[in-house]
Amino acid sequence: MTANALAPRALYEEVAELLRQRIFEHDLKPGSWIDELKIAEAYGISRTPLREALKVLAAEGLVTMKVRRGAYVTEVSENDLEDVYHLLGLLESDAAAVVARKATDEQMLKLQALHDTLEQSVQPEQVNREQFFIINEEFHMLLLEIANNRWRNQVVSDLRKVMKLHRHDSLLKSGRVEASLQEHRGLMTALLARDPALSQQRMLDHFKFGLKAAS
C-alpha cells in the first residue's frame, strides 16, 4: 500500500482508520506494542502521518502513549468497562425516551425495519454474529440520530469505540446474541407503544446485560 493509495482524505486520517479497524478486529490486540517502523513501511508512508494518526487514536482512547516506550493498544480494565457501559446506558436510555416521545411515524418505521433485519441475522440454523453486530450498531446509531442531540452523539461515538475492544468476547458467549435480540424486541415494543419510561428502562437493562456478558 502506498501513500497515493490513501488519497484523497488527509493521509493521517486514512492511516487512523486503517489502524482503528485493525484494533477493532483484534489484529492489533489490547496491550500490544505498535511497531511504528513496521507499519510505516507496510503502508509506504513516513512516520510523521503515522504519529498524527496515533494521536487521533489516543484521543479516542484506543491507543495509549507511553513516555520513551511508544504507542500501545489500550487495555481496558474491568472498572473502565463498567464506567463505559454505565455512561452508555445513561446516554442511550435517555435517547430512547426522547424517541418514544418525539419520533415521527416514518422514523419509527425505519427503526422497525432495522429491527426486522436484525431478526433475520439470527436464524436457528446459523447465527451471523458479525452481521448481527453491524446491524445492532446501526440500530443504536439511528435511534441516536432520531433523538437529535449532537453532543450526546459525539460522546457516545467515542465510548462505543472503547466498547468495541471487547465486543468479540461478549458476542461469542453462549446465548448472548439471542438474549440481546430479545432485549431489542422489548425495547422496540416500548418504543412503538410510545412509552418513554419503559423505553428508557429497557435500554438501561440492555446495557446492564451487555456489561455482564462483556465482563
Side-chain angles (χ1 to χ4, degrees), residues 70-88:
Y72 291 75
V73 179
T74 298
E75 288 186 279
V76 180
S77 69
E78 288 297 319
N79 188 64
D80 290 333
L81 200 60
E82 288 178 9
D83 288 344
V84 167
Y85 271 82
H86 174 68
L87 288 173
L88 281 172

Side-chain angles (χ1 to χ4, degrees), residues 9-10 45-46:
R9 277 202 295 178
I45 60 175
S46 71

Side-chain angles (χ1 to χ4, degrees), residues 13 22 32 59 65-66 70 72 80 94 108-109 124 131 155 190 201 207 209:
E13 292 178 340
R22 290 181 65 183
S32 64
M65 310 297 290
K66 299 183 180 182
Y72 291 75
D80 290 333
D94 180 71
M108 282 294 191
L109 285 173
Q131 185 181 16
V155 174
Q201 185 58 53
F207 278 96
F209 295 133

